């Protein structure tokens, strides 16, 4: 695998960054002190990276511009199939609440440039790419196509069959796939909770995080006999794992924590026949993250959220050359807006590139190549399985955002495993060895936007908690 696998060594640094503070309950104090104690502030173990630096960088330099980008037409429309059957069990209880529903776009609501081709990066590339996609759907290379197009078809097929994809993506050509306006279907509290929601996360953690059945994670609502011995057993097991498998768990935990921050920050506070009022639910936030109420788990979850942030940030810094290529456009059909949005995108990526505390992944991971390849494949297959579990979520709005965020994280992992391919891209023309579809691009930036929002919301909750005590 060479340097492409080197990023996992960089996870070693991140895991060590976030490995301190594995003790039990916090000393009593205000809720603000308990939620934002030393475990989630100050220097992260023996590295120069600290939570305050991340907060300042995200909240004041990155977050405002990123939100502006995500409000643009290119990034707000996401094509998804919410009707795919669950591949693992049949007894899905569908959420009947109105807030669980997703309103798909009408055909005339989506810009023509987005609808016309899923891989469209430039107007000039449309004909070639649409011919390629047509031929792939027919399952053969049509000899009537030009030699250039035939070659492209074979290259795309090779790309789609490669081992670089970490997610099982929706077939966007399926009649059941529909465009959704993410701004009109925001991620927020829907009332989807209890055993049905626990089952999803339980399958993710218990069957896909390299964990033996005998080791139960703390506060697992579906496991009996929780206690301190269970907690110690779990963390002794976790710290005994190789760095890559330990990082896998922390990525999933960080994603789970981020989702819970969103649900606490956009909670249904009041409902009348005239309107609904959404806002910050401090009690809900404390129940999920307070050090004492969660028996020490809350601060760990927040550390894992920062861990996830740093990993996705690193991926975005690595993929800058792909977006800098002159052939790439954020194509919607509006040339002026498309040019402005590409400029904003590159400004954001250069800002990310300037972050002073990125991982130096090249100086770590030096294992046997065959073992590394097997471990990478296990890593990929486990994450791919998690992407399939999203089709089992009973709340359609939760399913939408779960699918988008897992695809976004999977795209980030694909980038980090493709360093050499990115470095060898041609300066112009199609990039066959490393390629991102529009679906991957939209999910990558929106998923990071969700993590960025979580970091910003932590500051908001910190201020709210301090003001009420």
């Amino acid at each position: 695998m060479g340097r492409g696998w080197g990023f996992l060594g960089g996870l070693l640094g991140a895991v060590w960054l976030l490995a301190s503070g594995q003790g039990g309950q916090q000393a009593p104090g205000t809720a603000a002190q308990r939620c934002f104690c030393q475990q989630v502030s100050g220097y992260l173990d023996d590295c120069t990276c600290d939570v305050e630096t991340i907060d300042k960088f995200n909240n004041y330099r990155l977050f405002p511009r990123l939100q502006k980008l995500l409000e643009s037409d290119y990034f707000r429309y996401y094509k998804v199939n919410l009707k795919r059957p669950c591949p693992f069990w049949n007894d899905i209880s569908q959420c009947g609440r109105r807030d669980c529903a997703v309103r798909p776009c009408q055909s005339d609501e989506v810009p023509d440039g987005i609808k016309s081709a899923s891989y469209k990066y430039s107007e000039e590339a449309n004909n070639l790419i649409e011919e390629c996609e047509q031929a792939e759907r027919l399952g053969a290379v049509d000899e009537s196509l030009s030699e250039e197009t035939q070659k492209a078809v074979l290259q795309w097929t090779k790309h789609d069959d490669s081992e670089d994809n970490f997610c099982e993506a929706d077939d966007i050509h399926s009649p059941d796939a529909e465009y959704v306006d993410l701004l009109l279907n925001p991620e927020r509290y829907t009332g989807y909770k209890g055993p049905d929601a626990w089952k999803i996360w339980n399958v993710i953690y218990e069957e896909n995080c390299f964990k033996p059945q005998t080791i139960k994670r703390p506060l697992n609502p579906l496991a009996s006999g929780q206690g301190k011995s269970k907690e110690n057993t779990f963390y002794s097991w976790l710290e005994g794992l190789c760095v890559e498998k330990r990082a896998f768990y922390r990525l999933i935990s960080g994603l789970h924590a981020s989702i819970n921050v969103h649900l606490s920050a956009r909670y249904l506070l009041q409902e009348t026949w005239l309107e609904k009022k959404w806002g910050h639910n401090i009690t809900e936030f404390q129940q999920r993250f307070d050090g004492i109420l969660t028996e020490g788990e809350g601060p760990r979850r927040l550390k894992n959220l920062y861990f996830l942030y740093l990993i996705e940030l690193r991926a975005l810094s690595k993929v800058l050359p792909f977006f800098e290529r002159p052939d790439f456009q954020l194509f919607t059909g509006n040339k002026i807006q498309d040019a402005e949005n590409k400029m904003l995108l590159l400004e954001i990526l250069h800002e990310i590139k300037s972050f002073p505390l990125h991982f130096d992944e090249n100086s770590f991971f030096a294992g046997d190549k065959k073992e590394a390849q097997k471990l990478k494949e296990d890593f990929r297959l486990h994450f791919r399985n998690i992407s399939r579990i999203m089709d089992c979520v009973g709340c359609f709005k939760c399913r939408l955002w779960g699918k988008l965020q897992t695809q976004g994280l999977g795209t980030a992992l694909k980038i980090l495993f493709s360093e050499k391919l990115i470095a060898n891209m041609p300066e112009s023309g199609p990039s066959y060895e490393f390629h991102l579809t529009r679906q991957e691009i939209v999910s990558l930036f929106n998923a990071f936007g969700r993590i960025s929002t979580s970091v910003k919301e932590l500051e908001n909750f910190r201020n709210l908690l301090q003001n009420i005590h």
Side-chain angles (χ1 to χ4, degrees), residues 381-450:
L381 291 177
H382 279 242
F383 193 85
R384 192 178 180 92
N385 213 38
I386 290 173
S387 74
R388 300 176 68 206
I389 294 173
M390 292 300 113
D391 286 315
C392 301
V393 177
C395 165
F396 284 112
K397 186 168 289 182
C398 306
R399 183 183 298 193
L400 163 66
W401 286 100
K403 287 166 75 76
L404 183 144
Q405 289 176 83
T406 52
Q407 185 178 21
L409 177 53
T411 303
L413 294 173
K414 170 182 170 177
I415 292 166
L416 290 170
F417 277 112
S418 304
E419 183 178 12
K420 289 179 67 175
L421 299 180
I422 295 173
N424 293 330
M425 286 188 305
E427 292 185 4
S428 62
S431 172
Y432 296 123
E433 294 300 322
F434 178 82
H435 178 70
L436 294 179
T437 68
R438 180 183 177 275
Q439 290 290 104
E440 289 175 312
I441 295 168
V442 172
S443 64
L444 173 67
F445 282 90
N446 272 283
F448 181 68
R450 295 282 76 205

Side-chain angles (χ1 to χ4, degrees), residues 309-378:
Y309 180 92
L310 290 171
I311 294 302
E312 294 201 7
L313 192 76
R314 182 57 165 168
L316 289 170
S317 74
K318 288 287 187 180
V319 80
L320 173 60
F322 176 81
F323 293 106
E324 283 185 314
R325 300 165 73 248
D327 288 349
F328 177 82
Q329 293 183 32
L330 297 174
F331 189 80
T332 67
N334 186 324
K335 292 186 177 181
I336 295 177
Q337 285 188 3
D338 292 345
E340 291 176 350
N341 286 330
K342 181 176 180 180
M343 187 180 302
L344 176 59
L345 172 72
L346 294 179
E347 287 178 3
I348 290 171
L349 291 177
H350 279 285
E351 187 74 66
I352 290 172
K353 191 81 172 179
S354 73
F355 184 68
L357 302 173
H358 279 301
F359 298 126
D360 180 15
E361 68 272 13
N362 296 323
S363 62
F364 294 96
F365 200 84
D368 178 79
K369 288 187 177 180
K370 289 185 178 180
E371 291 180 3
Q373 177 63 29
K374 183 181 183 304
L375 186 57
K376 184 245 181 175
E377 181 64 6
D378 288 344

Side-chain angles (χ1 to χ4, degrees), residues 13-272:
V15 170
W16 282 112
L17 291 180
L18 303 169
S20 64
Q22 298 294 324
Q25 297 179 352
Q26 304 305 304
T30 68
Q33 291 172 331
R34 293 203 304 268
C35 286
F36 299 95
C37 59
Q38 288 300 315
Q39 289 185 316
V40 286
S41 66
Y43 286 97
L44 300 175
D45 204 11
D46 58 351
C47 178
T48 55
C49 185
D50 60 271
V51 167
E52 287 78 10
T53 297
I54 297 171
D55 285 342
K56 184 177 179 180
F57 176 79
N58 178 76
N59 298 348
Y60 301 103
R61 294 173 59 182
L62 199 59
F63 177 79
R65 281 184 284 180
L66 182 60
Q67 292 306 301
K68 180 180 179 182
L69 181 72
L70 296 180
E71 290 171 359
S72 68
D73 283 353
Y74 187 91
F75 288 98
R76 69 185 291 180
Y77 295 107
Y78 179 65
K79 198 169 190 181
V80 62
N81 183 356
L82 297 176
K83 299 178 182 178
R84 286 179 59 173
C86 171
F88 300 107
W89 59 83
N90 296 321
D91 57 331
I92 299 180
S93 299
Q94 299 292 351
C95 174
R97 296 172 60 93
R98 286 182 300 169
D99 294 326
C100 285
V102 170
R103 187 181 79 82
C105 296
Q106 300 298 315
S107 178
D108 59 353
E109 294 177 325
V110 183
D112 291 337
I114 291 177
K115 288 186 296 185
S116 58
S118 60
Y119 296 107
K120 183 181 295 184
Y121 295 147
S122 67
E123 194 168 9
E124 294 75 15
N126 279 354
N127 293 335
L128 171 63
I129 292 170
E130 288 178 349
E131 286 182 19
C132 291
E133 291 179 337
Q134 172 96 16
E136 283 193 74
R137 290 198 292 276
L138 295 175
V141 178
D142 188 338
E143 293 182 356
S144 66
L145 299 177
S146 67
E147 182 177 347
E148 180 183 10
T149 302
Q150 290 183 44
K151 179 180 178 182
V153 170
L154 295 175
Q155 290 284 6
W156 284 122
T157 303
K158 177 181 177 182
H159 166 78
D160 289 342
D161 292 339
S162 73
E163 297 181 353
D164 296 326
N165 294 316
F166 283 75
C167 290
E168 185 171 302
D170 287 344
D171 176 11
I172 60 173
H173 301 293
S174 166
D176 291 330
E178 298 177 291
Y179 281 100
V180 172
D181 186 337
L182 298 174
L183 298 184
L184 297 181
N185 295 274
E187 184 180 28
R188 59 191 180 192
Y189 181 80
T190 64
Y192 178 67
K193 57 183 179 180
D196 292 331
W198 299 338
K199 183 177 182 179
I200 299 295
W201 285 109
N202 198 58
V203 171
I204 290 174
Y205 282 112
E206 300 298 323
E207 300 181 17
N208 291 280
C209 282
F210 301 96
K211 195 176 69 60
Q213 291 292 324
T214 55
I215 303 295
K216 301 297 181 183
R217 59 190 172 91
L219 303 185
N220 178 357
L222 299 183
S224 59
Q226 293 289 354
K228 192 58 117 177
S229 61
K230 293 274 186 182
E231 175 187 317
N232 290 339
T233 300
F234 176 81
Y235 286 107
S236 296
W237 162 81
L238 184 64
E239 294 308 314
L241 285 179
C242 68
V243 62
E244 294 86 0
K245 292 181 178 180
R246 195 158 65 242
F248 188 98
Y249 169 81
R250 288 182 166 132
L251 287 174
I252 301 304
S253 174
L255 177 60
H256 193 183
S258 179
I259 291 172
N260 282 333
V261 171
H262 305 154
L263 304 188
S264 301
R266 302 193 71 167
Y267 200 91
L268 182 57
L269 301 178
Q270 184 179 351
E271 182 176 8
T272 68

